[in-house]
Amino acid sequence: MNVRIDFLVGAALSFTFAAMKVQKKLALGYFKTKLNLLSLVNKQKAGEEAFKLFCTPFLRYQGPEAPVFKDAEKLTFQLDGKKIIGYRCNHPQQKKVLLLHGFSSTCHRFDKYAEALIKKGYEVLAFDAPAHGGSDGKTVNAVEYSDMIKQIVQLYGPVDAFIAHSFGGIAVSLALESLPHSSNTKVVLIAPATETESAINGAFALLGINNKVLRQGLDEAIYKREGRNTSWYSIRRAMKNITASVLWLHDEEDDITPWEDAKKVQQEALPNIEFVFTKGLGHQRIYRDADVRKRILEFL
């Protein structure tokens, strides 16, 4: 009987995963066709649609509240009309750290860091970015995320250390260009989204799009928002304006945020950045790895 049940459960799971793959393939095909056709009619509209698509998280975390946050102080504030929710743990303490998740993620996935940092004597701040977890919104871009960081520092700071993964990395880098900080400020970048141009290239490759008109429309849509070219949204560029002590961790086999972009920053030999390169952890496992977490805690 148990064998039959196991077989049925296994078959059901296999069917579910297969269905999810088919749905993903159909969705990608739909967006590819839509954007390509729209670019033939209206380049500006196509660029705006592409920008909206790339700013829309694939998934919104709806899982359980991490145990470390259940007894924490719940925090909320307004950011451009959107309610942002988060937590403050171990308040008050002499030093504060802000945890920053990546795209389509949540602060709850950084519970192990929160637990370890509390033991280390830190006050821990953790928030869901706009359009993520319990926070309002359907889309988010790097400027909005960086504005959230600046508002958190204004409301609950000063912040002595930042730990950011992926999309959170470029957001905190942009924020630090205008936030007061010094060499005593600690910044941990885990597989950061180093170059926005690389992120767009990756998204186009995922969709199977090779459309110069659409790409030009997207670049124009980005410029229209802040008056800055796509290449400006770059950690490599921002680091020249940041004096904080930085620990940069990146995996050589990262298929989301290219390791090659991190290597270009390393070659500039900025004295405030220490690089740690891993192999075999990819983009997600790197921030969950116990050895990586230990190295980060030692740095702090």
Side-chain angles (χ1 to χ4, degrees):
M1 185 67 177
N2 289 338
V3 173
R4 178 173 174 78
I5 291 174
D6 289 343
F7 171 77
L8 291 173
V9 170
L13 287 173
S14 297
F15 177 79
T16 300
F17 289 137
M20 289 172 64
K21 288 181 179 179
V22 170
Q23 288 177 339
K24 181 179 179 181
K25 188 174 182 180
L26 289 172
L28 293 178
Y30 166 77
F31 287 122
K32 175 182 178 180
T33 301
K34 178 182 178 180
L35 292 174
N36 278 327
L37 288 175
L38 193 56
S39 70
L40 296 174
V41 180
N42 189 322
K43 181 182 72 172
Q44 181 179 346
K45 182 65 175 176
E48 291 289 344
E49 283 294 314
F51 182 76
K52 181 181 177 181
L53 174 62
F54 297 153
C55 293
T56 302
F58 311 119
L59 299 169
R60 182 186 284 264
Y61 180 78
Q62 296 179 329
E65 190 175 39
V68 70
F69 297 131
K70 284 186 177 180
D71 297 324
E73 179 185 0
K74 308 298 189 294
L75 302 173
T76 64
F77 64 88
Q78 292 291 316
L79 179 71
D80 297 327
K82 299 174 184 177
K83 184 173 75 172
I84 304 299
I85 71 159
Y87 304 88
R88 178 162 59 183
C89 311
N90 203 30
H91 174 72
Q93 295 297 325
Q94 204 167 24
K95 289 189 174 183
K96 299 178 186 179
V97 60
L98 175 59
L99 302 177
L100 299 162
H101 63 77
F103 201 73
S104 293
S105 188
T106 173
C107 64
H108 293 283
R109 292 194 174 132
F110 286 78
D111 56 335
K112 298 298 183 186
Y113 283 92
E115 292 168 0
L117 288 161
I118 289 169
K119 290 180 181 177
K120 196 174 174 69
Y122 274 90
E123 178 179 317
V124 177
L125 295 165
F127 290 80
D128 283 332
H132 289 75
S135 293
D136 288 347
K138 294 182 178 180
T139 64
V140 64
N141 58 55
V143 173
E144 291 170 340
Y145 200 169
S146 68
D147 286 344
M148 185 195 85
I149 294 168
K150 287 185 279 189
Q151 191 158 335
I152 290 168
V153 172
Q154 181 181 359
L155 291 171
Y156 310 110
V159 172
D160 303 278
F162 302 84
I163 300 177
H165 175 241
S166 192
F167 185 49
I170 191 165
V172 74
S173 299
L174 297 179
L176 282 169
E177 288 192 277
S178 58
L179 282 174
H181 68 280
S182 70
S183 59
N184 293 323
T185 306
K186 301 289 184 72
V187 178
V188 177
L189 301 177
I190 311 170
T194 311
E195 304 292 345
T196 297
E197 287 191 333
S198 294
I200 292 174
N201 291 339
F204 270 52
L206 177 65
L207 290 169
I209 294 176
N210 183 16
N211 185 325
K212 292 181 180 180
V213 173
L214 178 60
R215 178 57 188 267
Q216 186 180 12
L218 174 57
D219 287 335
E220 290 175 0
I222 291 172
Y223 182 83
K224 183 179 177 181
R225 275 163 173 74
E226 301 291 333
R228 294 188 171 103
N229 293 323
T230 305
S231 60
W232 186 88
Y233 299 94
S234 158
I235 297 180
R236 183 182 179 187
R237 180 203 59 76
M239 275 297 150
K240 295 178 177 64
N241 302 314
I242 294 172
T243 59
S245 298
V246 178
L247 176 65
W248 186 315
L249 305 105
H250 221 117
D251 193 81
E252 294 180 17
E253 298 176 3
D254 193 320
D255 60 352
I256 303 296
T257 58
W259 175 63
E260 291 79 8
D261 288 344
K263 285 291 290 182
K264 290 176 183 176
V265 182
Q266 185 193 38
Q267 288 165 5
E268 296 189 343
L270 296 174
N272 59 320
I273 308 178
E274 177 185 354
F275 288 87
V276 174
F277 293 133
T278 61
K279 191 168 185 177
L281 295 177
H283 187 68
Q284 300 293 342
R285 286 176 54 204
I286 188 170
Y287 81 84
R288 300 172 183 147
D289 184 78
D291 290 336
V292 167
R293 189 162 60 248
K294 180 182 177 182
R295 179 67 187 83
I296 291 170
L297 292 170
E298 290 171 350
F299 171 74
L300 297 176

